Amino acid sequence: MNASSKNIEILHPKNQPNIFGYDDNFKYFTNLYNNNRLPNTILLSGLKGSGKATFAYHFINYILSSNEKNKYSIKDFTIDYENKSYKLLSEDSHPNFYLLDSETNFENIKIEKVREALKFLSKTSYNLNIKIVLIDNAEYLNINSSNALLKALEEPDKNTYFFIIHNSSSRILDTIKSRSIEFKFYLNN
């Protein structure tokens, strides 16, 4: 290891300007979305660190920035730091986006956080008439949180999308899996 490699900055997935290795997946998702065939509940599964959350944030930026200046670049799969939706997502303040995650690693996602997400879903959307809920570390949903979430997953509004990210499929309720279309992510060459 050389001295310069010790100073590598690790960015949070929502702040990664590029995605690598998932070009075909991204094109597939954009095709589904543009043809109004994107499933409302998408389960992204794979090993921790395989880029699931980065992929989700890029695709969410693609959707939310579609009518904005400096929108997502499908040509080179990059987010423009000057994009309005990127800035709002980075500040956790986008009115059409809700993040449901555990507060710390290994802590259950409490039912109160799921109830906050359900309140978000009941409100009117800001623009595009789209609402997106990203559930990261879904393996930390406890039984009560999972059950509270099921109703929203069963009957989502037309323009409501759930992106559920997990690292260990054995810990997610089968009822959540059955309401999702699963896409498996893995790193390759």
Side-chain angles (χ1 to χ4, degrees):
M1 176 182 279
N2 61 33
S4 64
S5 66
K6 291 181 183 179
N7 297 325
I8 293 175
E9 180 183 2
I10 298 177
L11 298 174
H12 187 278
K14 69 182 171 187
N15 297 324
Q16 292 285 350
N18 302 79
I19 55 171
F20 300 100
Y22 293 121
D23 301 5
D24 291 338
N25 301 66
F26 202 88
K27 289 175 186 174
Y28 180 71
F29 272 61
T30 57
N31 186 42
L32 287 174
Y33 178 75
N34 292 332
N35 291 305
N36 296 316
R37 301 194 61 168
L38 185 70
N40 291 87
T41 307
I42 296 171
L43 184 63
L44 303 175
S45 62
L47 296 174
K48 186 168 186 67
S50 61
K52 301 175 302 293
T54 300
F55 179 89
Y57 275 106
H58 273 253
F59 190 67
I60 290 165
N61 183 269
Y62 170 80
I63 292 171
L64 295 176
S65 72
S66 63
N67 295 324
E68 297 175 353
K69 186 178 177 185
N70 304 317
K71 66 183 179 180
Y72 188 86
S73 173
I74 192 75
K75 180 182 173 191
D76 53 5
F77 306 102
T78 59
I79 294 173
D80 188 321
Y81 283 137
E82 297 303 314
N83 172 259
K84 178 183 173 185
S85 285
Y86 167 76
K87 290 178 181 180
L88 292 170
L89 286 169
S90 293
E91 297 166 359
D92 296 323
S93 61
H94 199 290
N96 294 31
F97 175 79
Y98 189 88
L99 174 63
L100 184 59
D101 195 359
S102 61
E103 306 247 338
T104 61
N105 287 339
F106 311 112
E107 181 182 356
N108 283 336
I109 298 173
K110 297 183 175 30
I111 193 167
E112 293 80 20
K113 292 196 80 168
V114 173
R115 288 181 180 142
E116 289 173 19
L118 297 176
K119 282 182 193 175
F120 162 78
L121 291 172
S122 69
K123 295 178 182 176
T124 306
S125 62
Y126 174 67
N127 60 7
L128 298 176
N129 199 27
I130 291 175
K131 293 181 189 171
I132 299 174
V133 176
L134 175 62
I135 304 168
D136 201 358
N137 297 305
E139 59 272 16
Y140 295 118
L141 286 165
N142 63 35
I143 190 76
N144 295 327
S145 300
S146 296
N147 287 330
L149 186 62
L150 285 176
K151 180 72 173 166
L153 296 178
E154 286 172 353
E155 301 170 9
D157 290 335
K158 181 182 176 214
N159 288 328
T160 299
Y161 298 99
F162 292 90
F163 292 89
I164 304 171
I165 300 172
H166 75 93
N167 300 318
S168 175
S169 64
S170 63
R171 295 188 63 200
I172 292 182
L173 286 181
D174 288 337
T175 50
I176 289 180
K177 281 184 174 181
S178 70
R179 287 159 179 81
S180 308
I181 303 295
E182 184 174 14
F183 293 89
K184 295 185 180 190
F185 278 67
Y186 54 92
L187 295 173
N188 59 23
N189 294 339

